[in-house]
Amino acid sequence: MEISLSRVHYPVSTLGPGRRVGIWFQGCSIRCPGCISVDTWRVKPAQTSVDQVTSLISPWLAECDGVTISGGEPFDQPLALHALLLSLSAFDKDVLVFTGYSTEQALQMMHGWDGLIDALVSGPFERHTPQTKPLRGSDNQRLTLLTARGTVRFSGYERLLRPEDRQLDLLMDADGTAWLAGIPRPGDMQVLQAWLAAEGHRATTTELSSTTP
Ligand code: SF4
């Protein structure tokens, strides 16, 4: 099964409990205003297969605490997502999936996928809606616990954000490119850009409002 991904990374520590494998899908048809991942919107031809991805990340899967799937929009590639989830199920790790579709839409698309997703964060990002809960960029987004494991692992996220909640992981690619994973709070990216600019560095986000030179 072919799949189009933006990136994979390990470890990610801001998108669920523990040290997690992060898998970002490429392509998003939802296009929320204010999305900070505009680079994942464009649909690109599938460049790999689920088998290849699973093989690549299997050393990480052996030792990680869980898997987070985000995007882009994972449900825009429903067959690839299902095949990936089936592959991941062999590793017996918790699986958290982010989607911009509503809970009802996502549950409909997940018909027959029982047990493959432990927790789902659903709903579009709304830039003018407050952000007071962990794992959510805006409070309209819902956390749904779909399995007993999901309840154990994620029910603690049904609370208000705390100052100590980590927001962003700084990750390095092999080519030296640094990028951030996580759910920034409003204004975080602008603050980061200002800090870096003060040190003589240039930072860009993929948010539409800040990508225009
Ligand atoms: S926030 Fe998620 S669903 Fe919304 S446009 Fe960005 S990638 Fe797509």
Side-chain angles (χ1 to χ4, degrees):
M1 172 60 63
E2 292 189 325
I3 187 169
S4 180
L5 294 181
S6 169
R7 62 178 67 238
V8 295
H9 195 88
Y10 175 76
V12 175
S13 65
T14 54
L15 295 172
R19 290 162 58 87
R20 309 181 67 80
V21 175
I23 303 172
W24 285 265
F25 276 56
Q26 181 66 38
C28 178
S29 61
I30 298 179
R31 311 205 162 190
C32 313
C35 169
I36 61 163
S37 303
V38 172
D39 60 310
T40 65
W41 284 8
R42 190 158 62 89
V43 174
K44 295 181 181 174
Q47 71 282 56
T48 186
S49 70
V50 168
D51 286 347
Q52 286 174 318
V53 173
T54 307
S55 170
L56 174 74
I57 66 175
S58 59
W60 301 343
L61 291 167
E63 66 170 72
C64 72
D65 296 308
V67 180
T68 296
I69 298 174
S70 185
E73 175 47 59
F75 284 92
D76 281 354
Q77 299 180 63
L79 297 179
L81 175 60
H82 185 233
L84 177 64
L85 291 167
L86 283 174
S87 290
L88 294 176
S89 65
F91 294 85
D92 198 27
K93 305 289 180 169
D94 80 65
V95 177
L96 168 67
V97 177
F98 286 85
T99 176
Y101 287 106
S102 69
T103 312
E104 294 71 22
Q105 288 172 314
L107 290 176
Q108 206 167 20
M109 289 187 270
M110 289 162 54
H111 182 70
W113 296 12
D114 295 353
L116 295 180
I117 298 176
D118 295 291
L120 182 76
V121 175
S122 52
F125 171 66
E126 295 180 355
R127 77 166 121 188
H128 298 303
T129 297
Q131 179 203 27
T132 66
K133 301 172 185 172
L135 292 183
R136 278 148 283 198
S138 53
D139 284 355
N140 61 295
Q141 296 174 327
R142 284 166 56 187
L143 171 64
T144 306
L145 308 178
L146 297 166
T147 65
R149 177 166 59 189
T151 300
V152 170
R153 300 281 282 160
F154 292 93
S155 56
Y157 289 89
E158 281 297 9
R159 59 171 171 78
L160 295 177
L161 275 170
R162 298 174 187 142
E164 67 270 24
D165 282 324
R166 292 191 63 195
Q167 294 298 305
L168 298 169
D169 284 307
L170 177 62
L171 309 173
M172 298 289 290
D173 281 345
D175 66 359
T177 303
W179 57 284
L180 297 167
I183 302 174
R185 295 184 187 176
D188 275 357
M189 304 310 287
Q190 287 73 17
V191 169
L192 180 64
Q193 282 177 314
W195 282 349
L196 290 169
E199 296 294 323
H201 302 288
R202 180 171 173 274
T204 58
T205 74
T206 58
E207 187 177 4
L208 278 182
S209 60
S210 55
T211 48
T212 307

